[in-house]
Amino acid sequence: QPANSRLDDIIKRGTLRVGMTGDYRPFTYLDKTTSKFTGFDVDMAEALGKALGVKVEFVQTAWPQLMKDFEADNFDIAMGGVSITLDRQKKGMFSTPIMREGKTPIARCADKDKYETIADIDKAGTRVIVNPGGTNERFAKANIKNAEIKMWNDNVTIFDEIAKGNADLMMTDSSETRYQQKQHPGVLCAVHPEKPFDFAEKAYWLQRDIALKAFVDQWLHIATEDGSFKKIYAAWFD
Ligand SMILES: O=C(O)C(=O)Cc1ccccc1
């Protein structure tokens, strides 16, 4: 282990800096009035801080700025529903995966059967709404040639746009379609979330440091085996 590992720095500093967007329920949500983050990955970050014996400082970022903020070393680790991508892997390291995901549609329940396949979706006249900066934008740009792509910057209100009829559907990670279906009962429906169009995994994205990665992986392994991961998961996803 190198003498100056970031793991040592974090412990010496007494603070773990966690980057998150605050716009991706139930992983991370920033309440603008109280300036407090809540969510699955907030609880996970607090548990990681406790395991390290340090305080957790949340640093707000946004999907379009995530890469720049990571490279600027504004945080030690990005949490909050971050997917593994090879572009991100080039700049840092990922923990072992915590969740298996993939893009699936969410649409108004009345239209649910119209959007089973990419071919069903990619038709002139269909309005696909997309939050920019992350894997949703990349997926939409790679797969949508004929349908209209509507960019919507706010991933918190984006689902209301579909509910109101200002867009027809969104393709996003299956865990989010399941969650938002519950937030809009009878209005928005997840389309085959068990059968996503692609494959992705959620993990924690950390600055390049083998000692920090080994710690996070070991902590995740113990949390999985002792049931504490399951408990936090159930509180936000079940
Ligand atoms: O780029 C990522 O890692 C994402 O997960 C992007 C994203 C953001 C908000 C909802 C779904 C996916």
Side-chain angles (χ1 to χ4, degrees):
Q1 174 174 329
N4 293 325
S5 83
R6 182 175 294 254
L7 177 63
D8 294 332
D9 293 346
I10 290 163
I11 291 167
K12 242 180 261 150
R13 197 199 297 148
T15 310
L16 176 72
R17 299 168 311 151
V18 177
M20 50 172 60
T21 61
D23 70 343
Y24 187 8
R25 284 170 141 157
F27 293 100
T28 166
Y29 178 66
L30 177 63
D31 185 324
K32 300 261 163 62
T33 57
T34 63
S35 296
K36 270 195 99 85
F37 284 97
T38 51
F40 169 77
D41 275 330
V42 175
D43 291 356
M44 289 296 284
E46 296 289 1
L48 174 57
K50 204 168 160 204
L52 284 163
V54 301
K55 283 193 310 234
V56 173
E57 181 195 322
F58 293 103
V59 179
Q60 196 188 1
T61 181
W63 296 106
Q65 265 92 257
L66 182 61
M67 180 68 87
K68 253 199 297 171
D69 286 349
F70 185 91
E71 289 191 81
D73 196 9
N74 291 347
F75 38 79
D76 304 302
I77 186 167
M79 302 174 79
V82 177
S83 295
I84 295 176
T85 72
L86 291 177
D87 283 340
R88 290 172 183 159
Q89 181 73 39
K90 286 174 190 163
K91 309 289 181 186
M93 296 176 151
F94 281 100
S95 70
T96 53
I98 55 165
M99 249 175 252
R100 194 188 171 98
E101 286 281 357
K103 301 304 177 198
T104 47
I106 180 165
R108 285 180 300 282
C109 293
D111 295 340
K112 186 178 177 222
D113 298 336
K114 286 168 59 179
Y115 306 123
E116 295 262 317
T117 67
I118 300 274
D120 292 341
I121 291 165
D122 191 20
K123 287 181 180 154
T126 301
R127 298 160 304 164
V128 179
I129 198 159
V130 179
N131 61 317
T135 54
N136 285 351
E137 179 179 8
R138 191 182 69 183
F139 184 81
K141 294 216 162 130
N143 289 283
I144 297 300
K145 307 283 174 233
N146 305 305
E148 180 192 343
I149 292 183
K150 283 188 81 159
M151 284 296 173
W152 191 263
N153 285 321
D154 182 0
N155 196 49
V156 174
T157 57
I158 197 165
F159 300 94
D160 301 323
E161 289 302 295
I162 308 170
K164 285 190 278 186
N166 295 336
D168 297 312
L169 75 139
M170 178 177 180
M171 289 182 287
T172 187
D173 291 318
S174 46
S175 60
E176 189 176 38
T177 67
R178 283 196 175 99
Y179 180 81
Q180 291 294 339
Q181 168 175 259
K182 273 190 261 170
Q183 301 300 303
H184 302 83
V187 178
L188 295 184
C189 279
V191 181
H192 56 60
E194 71 295 339
K195 212 175 60 187
F197 294 137
D198 69 350
F199 160 79
E201 283 170 324
K202 300 295 186 199
Y204 301 131
W205 186 30
L206 41 113
Q207 299 288 348
R208 203 178 270 151
D209 184 279
I210 207 76
L212 180 59
K213 172 167 165 56
F215 187 93
V216 172
D217 285 348
Q218 190 62 58
W219 162 72
L220 276 173
H221 174 67
I222 292 170
T224 304
E225 293 299 321
D226 74 7
S228 55
F229 177 90
K230 205 170 170 188
K231 216 166 136 193
I232 297 176
Y233 183 92
W236 293 98
F237 285 95
D238 289 347

